[in-house]
Amino acid sequence: MATKTNFSLVFLAVSGIVMVMFTVPAKADDEVIKETNMTVYFHDYSSGGPNSTDLPVVGFPGKIWSFLDFGTLAVIDDLITEGPELTSATVGRGQGITVSVSLDGLNAYVSFSFVFTNEAYNGSTIQVLGNSNQLKAVREYSVVSGTGKFRYARGYATFETILFDNSTSYSLVRVNVSVRH
């Protein structure tokens, strides 16, 4: 009987310690959650030429690999600037993938990172994930994480194509980001 009582006490003590370990807050009480809002511009070239920054790499055999065709996967490495001009200060790169995931080609799933190279956030990243209609004027995605100055980031990002030049396949996309970290 004493062994059973000792085991019960040990079990309760270990359970209590484990519960305390997993209820400790991720941030110290004196750390304030910050909110960062920024507007940046993505410069996207999807012509398929040697200077493309948005390129389909996989699709269904025998079909043209287009951003509007179901199953097409594209890789992205876009320049991000502070302003809409190509000569604006560089903020970093937008690197990741998009996949056309709806049979009608309208919806795309995106997974990419804002990789910051500017002085303010150099080495930090913001991770964006989501699915939306790629032809909508404004598309919204989730900010699911971050690194560096954006560690534990949560929030959202809206993407708005403000210019598309069909002759060069150049798109200028305004991105508004709101994150808590």
Side-chain angles (χ1 to χ4, degrees), residues 111-128:
S111 172
F112 70 92
S113 299
F114 288 69
V115 180
F116 293 96
T117 59
N118 61 345
E119 187 175 334
Y121 304 118
N122 190 26
S124 299
T125 64
I126 292 175
Q127 275 57 251
V128 175

Side-chain angles (χ1 to χ4, degrees), residues 62-133:
K63 286 191 165 192
I64 296 173
W65 296 350
S66 163
F67 299 101
L68 294 175
D69 286 327
F70 175 68
T72 300
L73 180 140
V75 292
I76 301 168
D77 186 7
D78 288 344
L79 173 67
I80 305 174
T81 61
E82 286 182 5
E85 302 82 17
L86 276 169
T87 56
S88 290
T90 297
V91 173
R93 306 292 297 188
Q95 299 174 331
I97 60 171
T98 65
V99 182
S100 180
V101 293
S102 61
L103 290 173
D104 62 7
L106 293 179
N107 289 340
Y109 176 80
V110 302
S111 172
F112 70 92
S113 299
F114 288 69
V115 180
F116 293 96
T117 59
N118 61 345
E119 187 175 334
Y121 304 118
N122 190 26
S124 299
T125 64
I126 292 175
Q127 275 57 251
V128 175
L129 287 175
N131 184 343
S132 76
N133 182 326

